[in-house]
Amino acid sequence: MTITHVFFDVGGVLATNGWDQEMRAAAARKFGFDPAEYAERHEEAVGTLEEGRMSLDEYLRCTVFYRERPFTREEFRAYMFAQSAPYPASIALARALAASGQYRMMTLNNEAAELNVYRLRQLGLLEIFTAFFTSCWMGALKPSRRIYERALAMSQADPERTVFVDDRERNLEPARALGMHGVQFTDVPRLRADLAALGVVS
């Protein structure tokens, strides 16, 4: 069966993760605050943030700036955003697939709205993908089945003609349960081969 839709995760596939555990720990060291306390506050807030029910400023007020700090919110935000770096080979592969005109290219990821918008622009993803099914706009997080169902419905994609690329197996399991072809990303040569096995070539 011919593949018509290709969904890509962003963090871990097309770029570094937006704000992962290692980045948060590094921020605590750089700015000199308690990493354990920040980790606890982050876990309490991150789901609300990434489902779009809390702004980034609200998140920072709850997790870092609940008391006076010797650095500004702007400095901390700039550090957060600066952690985003592209994976050029992955982006080049996605760009080639888009340029072939054979597939509807979309993203499906968990992210806070402000960081997501920054990354889409900074990484050049607006030029490659036609729709962005991000948790902050979908009101649901991977691996919840709901976000996959909504992405399929909104794109009018036949699950059997759809590929989803993600670096985490637990995010692929719900996609496969819905009939999508799940491909786990480890590196670009393997991804290229896995896609080719499904007939997805540029």
Side-chain angles (χ1 to χ4, degrees):
M1 186 172 288
T2 303
I3 298 297
T4 59
H5 292 69
V6 181
F7 291 84
F8 273 79
D9 180 29
V10 178
V13 176
L14 297 170
T16 54
N17 287 312
W19 192 236
D20 65 14
Q21 184 175 356
E22 291 183 3
M23 293 172 183
R24 296 192 302 272
R29 291 192 298 270
K30 175 179 174 58
F31 289 96
F33 55 81
D34 183 354
E37 185 176 23
Y38 177 43
E40 182 178 351
R41 286 176 172 266
H42 170 82
E43 289 304 316
E44 291 174 351
V46 66
T48 307
L49 173 70
E50 293 188 343
E51 284 186 350
R53 294 182 289 118
M54 173 186 283
S55 70
L56 184 58
D57 278 344
E58 288 177 295
Y59 165 83
L60 291 176
R61 185 166 61 248
C62 292
T63 59
V64 179
F65 294 95
Y66 55 91
R67 62 187 180 108
E68 290 294 323
R69 299 292 186 185
F71 51 90
T72 67
R73 187 171 303 191
E74 290 71 26
E75 288 172 324
F76 195 82
R77 279 176 60 107
Y79 179 85
M80 288 182 72
F81 283 43
Q83 304 315 300
S84 291
Y87 291 167
S90 298
I91 292 175
L93 174 55
R95 191 182 300 278
L97 292 175
S100 75
Q102 300 179 74
Y103 315 104
R104 294 174 185 174
M105 302 287 290
M106 304 174 180
T107 64
L108 179 57
N109 65 306
N110 292 344
E111 197 119 74
E114 296 92 335
L115 190 56
N116 190 64
V117 169
Y118 171 82
R119 282 155 67 80
L120 295 181
R121 297 178 186 278
Q122 186 70 16
L123 302 171
L125 303 186
L126 295 175
E127 305 162 6
I128 300 171
F129 299 93
T130 58
F132 306 92
F133 297 109
T134 308
S135 60
C136 59
W137 299 323
M138 301 291 280
L141 290 162
K142 297 181 301 183
S144 166
R145 184 184 179 98
R146 182 181 304 173
I147 192 170
Y148 304 90
E149 291 175 334
R150 288 181 175 175
L152 289 169
M154 293 171 73
S155 63
Q156 285 296 287
D158 179 345
E160 294 184 357
R161 296 189 176 197
T162 301
V163 176
F164 175 47
V165 180
D166 197 291
D167 59 314
R168 299 179 180 180
E169 177 62 27
R170 67 177 178 271
N171 289 336
L172 295 170
E173 291 167 1
R176 295 192 185 108
L178 290 168
M180 301 168 73
H181 299 276
V183 174
Q184 186 171 12
F185 176 81
T186 55
D187 56 60
V188 171
R190 175 67 181 272
L191 175 59
R192 194 184 301 276
D194 288 344
L195 290 175
L198 295 168
V200 179
V201 294
S202 58

